[in-house]
Amino acid sequence: MKRKYIEPFFSKMYIRNDVYMDKDIKYLRQLSRSKNWENRSRVAELLSSCQQDFAEELLYEMTFDKDELVRADAVDSLGMGKTEKSFERLWHLAQHDRSELVQFHAVLSCGEVYGNLDVLPCGQTQFIEKLHNLICREESSHVHLSCYEVLCYLG
């Protein structure tokens, strides 16, 4: 997509960000692989409110981005996910990503996806134990804060 068309495209997408046409999806996929990190980040933000299947798949792919802010946006937006695959990826990032920002958002999104799942990957007690173990292992106060927030959400 040519640079002069990118800003109008994003403006149009922000206005009607609930259902995307095939042409829009094609452009979003292209922009998610753009050399410009800001374009990739904006795609992740846009997809946070999209309930179409492609959105969760594309956000999952974007969690592998090299740029910390793009990964953080993708992880934050993936909280809308409804698959165990997304839950497992978020949990992996919560434990192993080199960025505290990504870990922080991964824990919060993990809690959201856990609440969205029809079939839970583990019982609530096991999930609480996982969060407790993460608090014990991690030194980051941001990760601790996100774990406590999810624990409050779980009750």
Side-chain angles (χ1 to χ4, degrees):
M1 178 180 276
K2 292 187 179 181
R3 198 177 318 189
K4 67 180 183 180
Y5 298 118
I6 291 174
E7 193 58 41
F9 173 75
F10 277 124
S11 296
K12 182 179 89 172
M13 293 298 97
Y14 279 115
I15 291 169
R16 62 175 184 96
N17 64 354
D18 49 353
V19 177
Y20 299 112
M21 305 299 179
D22 289 341
K23 184 178 175 183
D24 299 330
I25 294 169
K26 176 185 167 192
Y27 291 139
L28 287 168
R29 286 189 189 281
Q30 285 177 356
L31 289 168
S32 74
R33 295 179 190 94
S34 169
K35 291 180 182 177
N36 183 327
W37 70 268
E38 291 173 329
N39 289 338
R40 297 191 315 268
S41 183
R42 290 176 77 183
V43 169
E45 290 173 17
L46 267 174
L47 295 178
S48 67
S49 60
C50 181
Q51 296 300 315
Q52 290 173 269
D53 290 340
F54 88 94
E56 186 172 0
E57 295 166 15
L58 189 52
L59 287 167
Y60 179 90
E61 292 172 17
M62 293 178 76
T63 65
F64 292 93
D65 199 283
K66 293 177 184 174
D67 188 273
E68 171 188 19
L69 294 176
V70 174
R71 272 195 330 277
D73 280 333
V75 163
D76 185 36
S77 296
L78 194 54
M80 51 66 86
K82 295 180 173 108
T83 64
E84 188 173 342
K85 178 181 174 183
S86 293
F87 176 82
E88 294 300 333
R89 175 65 181 154
L90 290 167
W91 185 250
H92 174 79
L93 290 170
Q95 298 176 88
H96 302 293
D97 198 272
R98 62 189 175 275
S99 162
E100 283 184 31
L101 180 64
V102 173
Q103 287 181 300
F104 173 81
H105 286 292
V107 172
L108 294 175
S109 290
C110 215
E112 291 175 27
V113 172
Y114 186 85
N116 295 341
L117 291 172
D118 292 328
V119 178
L120 300 175
C122 59
Q124 185 169 338
T125 305
Q126 291 172 311
F127 188 41
I128 290 170
E129 285 177 26
K130 286 182 173 190
L131 290 167
H132 178 72
N133 290 337
L134 185 59
I135 291 168
C136 293
R137 278 195 321 268
E138 280 297 322
E139 294 178 10
S140 166
S141 60
H142 293 100
V143 174
H144 291 178
L145 180 64
S146 60
C147 287
Y148 291 132
E149 186 171 330
V150 173
L151 287 168
C152 288
Y153 169 74
L154 292 172

